[in-house]
């Protein structure tokens, strides 16, 4: 079995070769300041133990007990997943992978799973970085791979909305919409490896810094299958009829039902684009960003990078923070907004390095953005610990959060790895706060990586909680964020969610351990 | 007892006099085409039956069994409420009105109510038009009036967010924010008579046609008291940690907990404003509106009025439909957007009647808007049946919905009232749909008004449901919309909501009959 197909981001042809890794090593050290190790030879993945529970004859045609299939479906794409994948150390695997081809198949699988007490873990693209698809500690489980429930079902040009099956991947969705002159303009970093259903289940966010960047705001209606029956909301542009049913499924992470399809709002393409790169201190940059969004601008890109991130990303190597700003318009020229944006930024003390109207530069940046996961696996194979975590916080606590988290994680890196660096950038910005995103790069101690990371992650998460940030802005909760999620959510809401879960999934088969249970 | 204080929108001094009514009558007939009747003399409200259940000594200081107080708290502000108020026919009244002065008071009241099985109906400004505050068919109930839990608690200038107690009325909130240079810019038609807590509980919408017009989007966190304990979400600008706790309280209409305070996002004031009035057919107007919002414009005002509404509102008396368009900017001049908006509107066939940059014209319009409820009670006293209902629907079904609802209601008016008119306007618009708002004006048959309206309302609601609209876009569900709400919400979601209710409110004391139970 080729290990890469289990843990890699890409197809078999994307697997890094030893020669490529050796060639990259000096560049990695120069860029990150972390000494690389000799390229690790991934272990071939051994055949897992035979499944403990097999599908009944009526469902057999949907299932696969293929060892590679089962192994692939047992992990996501966090650092801990890469390490375990590369080492072929995957104790918890689903007994079987089930690929429904119709909603009735989903119903049948849930019925059988309810009867037999088999855990059902929904699987879209398997790109979870929070342990969302891993049957951790579960005796009997199946991975419900929705990739065959895919494709565009219906286009409503009048309302500019599209009906997509849950298993549709980002590129396939865009390809299907293109002939209709439509696009979702929804680009999470996992775009290539994530699905419509996964976006909804995890409340995913795209790469735009403001406006329509949360999948929550693109959802017009959702259809799901729960163990007690179907759940389909009416297609509505807005409604005030009781609490929103869609908002209850959004973020439910497969614990309440299986999303099978959704109507999503398509987006228009901008006709004018402008981009600028500015430099200054982090503090000047943060002031500028806050002033920008509070002055009513809604920049498509508003990425503040601290000196570490600015250098790592090749944006700026002067040791300053960088602000990458992008404005878009669907119609009117951007002149007024550009003037306002530059005035605000200069007022905050930033220097304009470059700026100009542009055509497709944003697409180039997006392309680099979605390639980042490939780079990460390269670093990991070279013995570099590399992982990210993210949050959101109101502006009044912003400085304190970024400061305390950076300090705590830097200290943890020193203790755990003997060094390393923490970079911070803003991925999303709001009038009342921002979403800081941290990247950690450090020398890994081979064989101890997971313990190392667990310690750092716990320190980081405690620091986030102490500074009143959310445990996740768009990576979801999964199994890894549970302790902090449990502390964060209102107690009465936890009770409500638990009651909801019991009512919809009385046997507790849906993604146990995630959010609840 | 002065009846007006029970059913009137304003203070005692706003009560219409007989002379004023007589003076207005010819004008009403000329404007509405409906013959008025002699001004009705409202009945003095008789003392209600003594309360069936009294508060314990420990809570007595918070309670009022004053007949006027009890009567006022037994009705909202729908047409049926006005009629019943004017006739002093209010069979269902709360036993007592309780005004907590602290959150602990709320806890104590809920504890006592849980123990004794007393229904608790939260009451903000009592402006519900859907039977939300009426103890319909309840044996024992108390009205939990939150008006003493009011005021601004905290201002976070950095994040531009404010913490307000739930009982704060619109004008009081604005007055408190003004010295801080802040505003909520949240203006539902009930602005004068509704509260922060009521807005959240009912998912209220302000008068802006697009963007930050739903209270949902202004809410940063909510604190509530449930019978099993407190519920407080963390203040966050955005979060992907599980389903949103706030979105579960938003629209819960007092059935899950009592909102006691919230952090709301304050808004900046625009520096540039532009307004235009355009004329054409309804169909041209609808095409223009759809093209405007789909072209990325987010007009502050985008009110399409059909000929009936255009005439009634005094906007246009030519028999054409009118589009009242308003653009705002916080910084950059509006030139580009104005050009685009006019181009789109002319492209759809509309004629520009007037347009121009303006100062405070929007405030004048808003002032008229919030005065409408006063006008309504005048009409009712002159024997005119006048009521509104509203919905939202995707653009693909928009024409069909407006057409079928108008036809059905016109026929119902003919049958029930022997005539009358139905007007339609758009209150809120979206790229994927719009929110049509219907006004019905007809000659009432005195003594039969409620039966008349119930028949018309049922026909209208059936037609809305058949055309796939929501039973309410921003008026809430209350007791009046229950049958259609029950049909609209996903079955599995109804189960979830019911389980949530049972977990948070095991004795079912919170606003029974609303949404559930």
């Amino acid at each position: 079995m080729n290990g890469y197909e289990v843990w890699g981001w890409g197809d078999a042809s994307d697997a890094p070769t030893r020669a490529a890794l050796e060639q990259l090593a000096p560049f990695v050290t120069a860029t990150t300041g972390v000494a690389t190790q000799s390229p690790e030879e991934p272990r071939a993945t051994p055949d897992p133990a035979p499944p403990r529970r097999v599908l009944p004859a009526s469902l057999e045609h949907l299932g696969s007990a293929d060892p590679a299939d089962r192994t692939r479906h047992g992990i996501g794409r966090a650092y801990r997943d890469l390490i375990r994948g590369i080492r072929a150390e995957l104790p918890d695997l689903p007994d079987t992978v089930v690929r429904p081809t119709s909603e009735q198949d989903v119903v049948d699988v849930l019925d059988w799973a309810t009867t037999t007490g088999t855990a059902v873990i929904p699987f879209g693209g398997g790109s979870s970085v929070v342990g969302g698809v891993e049957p951790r500690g579960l005796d009997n489980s199946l991975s419900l791979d929705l990739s065959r429930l895919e494709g565009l079902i219906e286009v409503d040009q009048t309302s500019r909305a599209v009906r997509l099956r849950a298993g549709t991947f980002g590129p396939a969705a865009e390809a299907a919409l293109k002939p209709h002159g439509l696009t979702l303009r929804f680009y999470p970093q996992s775009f290539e490896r994530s699905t419509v259903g996964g976006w909804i289940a995890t409340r995913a966010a795209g790469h735009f810094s403001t406006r329509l960047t949360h999948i929550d705001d693109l959802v017009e209606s959702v259809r799901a299958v729960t163990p007690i029956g179907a759940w389909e909301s009416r297609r509505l542009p807005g409604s005030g009829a009781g609490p929103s049913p869609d908002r209850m499924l959004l973020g439910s992470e497969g614990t309440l039902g299986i999303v099978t399809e959704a109507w999503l709002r398509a987006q228009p393409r901008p006709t004018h684009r402008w981009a600028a790169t500015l430099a200054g201190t982090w503090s000047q940059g943060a002031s500028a960003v806050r002033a920008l969004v509070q002055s009513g601008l809604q920049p498509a890109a508003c990425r503040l990078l601290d000196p570490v991130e600015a250098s790592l990303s090749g944006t700026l190597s002067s040791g300053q923070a960088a602000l990458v700003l992008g404005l878009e318009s669907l119609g009117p020229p951007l002149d007024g907004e550009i003037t306002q944006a530059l005035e605000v930024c200069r007022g905050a003390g930033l220097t304009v390095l470059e700026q100009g109207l542009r055509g497709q530069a944003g697409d180039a940046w997006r392309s680099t953005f979605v390639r980042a996961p490939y780079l990460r696996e390269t670093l990991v194979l070279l013995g570099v610990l590399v992982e990210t975590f993210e949050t959101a916080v109101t502006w009044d606590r912003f400085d304190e959060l970024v400061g305390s988290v950076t300090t705590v994680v830097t200290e943890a890196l020193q203790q755990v790895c003997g060094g390393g660096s923490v970079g911070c950038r803003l991925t999303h910005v709001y009038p009342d706060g921002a979403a800081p995103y941290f990247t950690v790069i450090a020398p890994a101690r081979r064989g101890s990586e997971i313990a190392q990371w667990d310690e750092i992650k716990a320190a980081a998460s405690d620091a986030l909680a102490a500074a009143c940030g959310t445990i996740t802005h768009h990576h979801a909760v999964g199994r890894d964020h549970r302790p902090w999620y449990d502390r964060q959510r209102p107690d009465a809401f936890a009770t409500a969610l638990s009651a909801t879960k019991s009512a919809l999934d009385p046997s507790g088969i849906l993604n146990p351990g995630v959010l609840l249970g």
Side-chain angles (χ1 to χ4, degrees), chain A:
Chain A
M1 194 193 310
N2 175 348
Y4 189 77
E5 74 188 55
V6 168
W7 54 263
W9 191 256
D11 300 319
S13 62
D14 294 305
T17 62
R18 185 172 185 94
L21 289 169
E22 279 169 349
Q23 210 180 333
L24 271 167
F27 173 74
V28 168
T29 304
T31 316
T32 66
V34 172
T36 58
Q37 305 180 50
S38 62
E40 178 161 0
E41 191 69 49
R43 282 193 59 195
T45 314
D47 278 3
R52 284 162 287 193
R53 180 163 291 166
V54 293
L55 290 172
S58 62
L59 296 173
E60 219 176 328
H61 63 291
L62 305 174
S64 155
D66 173 68
D69 224 8
R70 287 176 56 207
T71 311
R72 163 64 192 105
H73 285 74
I75 57 168
R77 287 297 178 265
Y79 176 66
R80 64 197 313 279
D81 296 315
L82 291 195
I83 292 292
R84 295 183 308 158
I86 290 167
R87 303 274 158 74
E89 288 165 358
L90 296 161
D92 295 309
L93 297 180
D95 292 325
T96 179
V97 177
V98 181
R99 292 185 171 82
T101 60
S102 69
E103 200 174 278
Q104 187 56 49
D105 287 345
V106 177
V107 172
D108 295 341
V109 171
L110 293 192
D111 283 351
W112 174 77
T114 297
T115 311
T116 56
T118 305
V120 175
I121 303 187
F123 188 100
S127 63
S128 171
V129 291
V130 293
V133 297
E134 175 191 337
R136 196 178 297 170
L138 298 173
D139 281 341
N140 302 109
S141 68
L142 65 85
S143 178
L144 193 70
D145 182 322
L146 294 151
S147 59
R148 285 188 194 155
L149 270 187
E150 70 90 37
L152 176 65
I153 308 170
E154 204 175 341
V155 172
D156 172 0
Q157 283 282 5
T158 312
S159 315
R160 225 180 41 200
V162 297
R163 185 177 163 208
L164 287 157
R165 289 195 188 84
T168 314
F169 281 80
E174 287 302 318
L177 296 188
K178 200 167 186 183
H180 300 277
L182 296 173
T183 168
L184 294 177
R185 297 195 93 223
F186 183 74
Y187 299 106
Q189 192 158 43
S190 61
F191 176 69
E192 296 179 350
R193 299 282 153 189
S194 59
T195 62
V196 168
W199 301 338
I200 292 170
T202 61
R203 290 176 78 186
H207 79 303
F208 293 113
S209 298
T210 67
R211 289 193 64 187
L212 293 170
T213 192
H214 289 277
I215 195 72
D216 314 46
D217 295 321
L218 301 188
V219 167
E220 192 181 71
S221 84
V222 183
R223 187 169 164 86
V225 175
T226 78
I228 65 155
W231 169 317
E232 181 173 5
S233 59
R234 192 174 286 184
R235 280 186 65 197
L236 291 170
S239 178
S244 163
D246 295 340
R247 297 277 182 172
M248 171 146 264
L249 283 180
L250 280 155
S252 61
E253 301 193 20
T255 62
L256 304 181
I258 311 293
V259 175
T260 54
E261 56 180 70
W263 277 95
L264 299 181
R265 299 173 178 119
Q267 306 302 313
R269 284 195 183 77
T271 48
H272 299 285
R273 283 171 167 183
W274 172 85
T277 308
L278 302 100
T281 65
W282 171 261
S283 168
Q284 286 169 335
S287 297
V289 166
R290 182 165 76 86
L292 283 169
V293 288
Q294 291 190 346
S295 73
L297 289 174
Q298 298 183 302
C302 188
R303 301 208 163 239
L304 179 64
L305 315 174
D306 76 359
V308 175
E309 283 274 344
S311 164
L312 274 178
S313 64
T315 308
L316 196 62
S317 54
S318 63
Q320 290 173 291
L323 176 60
V324 179
L325 203 57
L327 296 172
E328 292 182 353
S329 163
L330 299 167
L334 288 163
D335 309 343
E337 291 190 24
I338 294 169
T339 306
Q340 185 185 355
L342 290 175
E343 206 173 283
V344 167
C345 289
R346 286 189 178 118
L350 297 182
T351 311
V352 182
L353 299 184
E354 51 173 355
Q355 60 121 336
L357 298 168
R358 58 177 186 163
Q360 300 302 308
D363 295 342
W365 181 82
R366 195 171 72 223
S367 164
T368 308
F369 175 68
V370 300
R371 294 293 300 173
Y374 297 99
L375 177 61
R376 189 174 62 151
E377 59 198 28
T378 298
L379 295 181
V380 172
L381 288 169
L382 288 167
V384 178
L385 185 159
V386 53
E387 184 55 299
T388 62
F389 60 93
E390 37 86 70
T391 187
V393 70
T394 47
W395 285 116
D396 61 322
R397 297 175 183 274
F398 175 80
D399 290 337
E400 186 196 325
L401 180 139
V402 174
S404 65
V405 169
T406 305
T407 303
V408 163
V409 175
T410 304
E411 282 168 11
L413 285 175
Q414 189 60 41
Q415 280 178 14
V416 175
C417 303
S421 65
V422 189
C424 182
R425 67 174 192 259
L426 302 187
T427 57
H428 301 82
V429 294
Y430 306 88
D432 60 335
Y437 188 97
F438 297 88
T439 303
V440 171
I441 298 187
R445 191 166 59 251
R446 280 193 169 147
S448 305
E449 291 97 333
I450 293 178
Q452 287 184 308
W453 175 244
D454 283 350
E455 198 171 333
I456 297 159
K457 172 79 175 174
S461 301
D462 286 343
L464 287 179
C468 294
T470 175
I471 190 60
T472 177
H473 173 267
H474 59 275
H475 279 177
V477 175
R479 290 169 175 83
D480 296 348
H481 285 150
R482 267 302 294 283
W484 297 276
Y485 171 65
D486 286 359
R487 278 196 260 156
Q488 173 174 337
R489 69 180 162 195
D491 288 343
F493 177 69
T495 302
L497 197 58
S498 181
T500 292
K501 166 85 173 171
S502 299
L504 296 176
D505 176 21
S507 304
I509 56 165
L510 291 178
N511 222 358
V514 168
L515 298 187
L516 291 158

